[in-house]
Amino acid sequence: MPVTRTALTDAYARLSEVLPGLGVTELDPAGEVPAGGGWVAAGSLAAGGAELEAFLAWDDAQVLRDYGQRARPDVVASFGLHRYAWPACLLITVPWFLHRRVPRYPATHVAYDRSAAGLPLGRMAVRPAGFACLPGDPAAALPGARVVADEEALRVEVRAAVAEHLEPVLAGFGPRMRRRGRALWGMATDEVVEGLWYVAHLLGEQERARHELELLLPGATKPYVGDAAFRELTGPDGEPLHTRDRASCCMFYTVRPEDTCATCPRTCDADRVGKLLAAAG
């Protein structure tokens, strides 16, 4: 699997530094994405056939192992999509956030291995397909670079790059999730926001991430659903606690009704405060 160094390498190195459970390998432009031995190509997930079935069998077994019960098939598919889309979105949003460079990765240019030893989130292999950057970026002179006018134009590139990658993947998962259209893109919106927000917390830049994500997803940016949806709650000592309202439901409540996440639409603000304080402690 020949690898290469690109304008994105430093961003992925920083990602793996703060999130060591996820590995990213950049392939030679002429190389093929890996297959077999735990690897599954995003294009195969999009096709919705046997490789997707095998991918979801991992989630089915994980739920049974961890919770002692089986989840509904649509819930298993929702878990599987989340576990792919969360790191896949980071491939695009982290280079944008750190270096103002936005790669393009069609689904055929990405493979994922979530069984990699020592990597709880797995590893991703990506084949370059060009990137957008701002005027004055030293990387603008590199092969595959495309210079855009300003920050807003670069945000357009982020939205387009994520949509280009996820649209066929959503089409593959959708029938098994019993969701389509707005519900699927609500999940995609949440993966974009919550993935970068989490990594920014590890980087010590959570406040900047909230601001950047509010500009990236201000609402009415189809196919995405709604805006970044951040808001502030107040803790028992008057301290500000940041949360957001998810555009979709991950369906975890069907497995553990009493253990919803702090951004779940089903979680009231009083419970959110308790969960946020517990996580901070």
Side-chain angles (χ1 to χ4, degrees):
M1 189 166 59
V3 299
T4 189
R5 180 177 177 83
T6 75
L8 310 168
T9 302
D10 289 344
Y12 295 145
R14 185 74 176 116
L15 173 62
S16 293
E17 180 182 327
V18 299
L19 193 64
L22 177 65
V24 180
T25 298
E26 295 178 274
L27 304 172
D28 184 281
E32 295 293 327
V33 297
W39 288 102
V40 60
S44 297
L45 298 178
E51 290 193 65
L52 177 58
E53 293 289 349
F55 186 84
L56 294 178
W58 188 98
D59 295 281
D60 186 43
Q62 178 267 322
V63 171
L64 183 60
R65 181 182 66 248
D66 291 355
Y67 305 111
Q69 66 184 82
R70 282 216 140 82
R72 299 190 324 238
D74 60 308
V75 173
V76 169
S78 296
F79 290 176
L81 175 63
H82 163 67
R83 287 170 177 145
Y84 174 78
W86 194 89
C89 289
L90 293 176
L91 296 173
I92 296 165
T93 59
V94 168
W96 165 68
F97 185 70
L98 292 178
H99 299 297
R100 288 304 192 255
R101 296 167 187 170
V102 181
R104 286 295 184 114
Y105 293 125
T108 53
H109 287 229
V110 177
Y112 181 41
D113 175 11
R114 61 178 176 181
S115 64
L119 294 173
L121 294 174
R123 55 181 174 161
M124 306 198 85
V126 297
R127 191 173 75 227
F131 67 97
C133 63
L134 293 171
D137 186 333
L142 296 176
R146 185 164 55 85
V147 178
V148 299
D150 54 24
E151 291 279 2
E152 177 53 33
L154 203 61
R155 287 189 283 269
V156 171
E157 289 290 329
V158 175
R159 294 190 290 265
V162 172
E164 176 188 38
H165 181 80
L166 284 187
E167 185 171 21
V169 176
L170 296 178
F173 277 87
R176 288 168 173 78
M177 294 167 58
R178 298 194 298 185
R179 301 193 203 184
R180 58 183 179 179
R182 182 179 175 84
L184 290 172
W185 283 105
M187 286 195 69
T189 303
D190 290 329
E191 305 300 354
V192 170
V193 177
E194 297 196 354
L196 184 60
W197 193 29
Y198 179 79
V199 171
H201 172 72
L202 301 177
L203 292 164
E205 296 197 68
Q206 202 168 22
E207 185 173 346
R208 181 167 78 88
R210 284 194 298 271
H211 174 68
E212 297 280 8
L213 287 163
E214 286 170 343
L215 293 173
L216 179 68
L217 295 168
T221 49
K222 291 183 178 181
Y224 303 97
V225 176
D227 56 20
F230 290 111
R231 58 191 180 93
E232 189 175 283
L233 302 175
T234 303
D237 297 321
E239 68 273 39
L241 298 171
H242 295 284
T243 187
R244 68 177 297 266
D245 295 314
R246 288 179 56 91
S248 68
C249 181
C250 71
M251 309 296 285
F252 185 68
Y253 80 93
T254 65
V255 178
R256 282 288 185 272
E258 73 284 358
D259 193 23
T260 56
C261 67
T263 57
C264 178
R266 295 170 175 268
T267 305
C268 70
D269 283 357
D271 288 344
R272 289 187 187 217
V273 168
K275 290 176 183 288
L276 291 168
L277 290 173

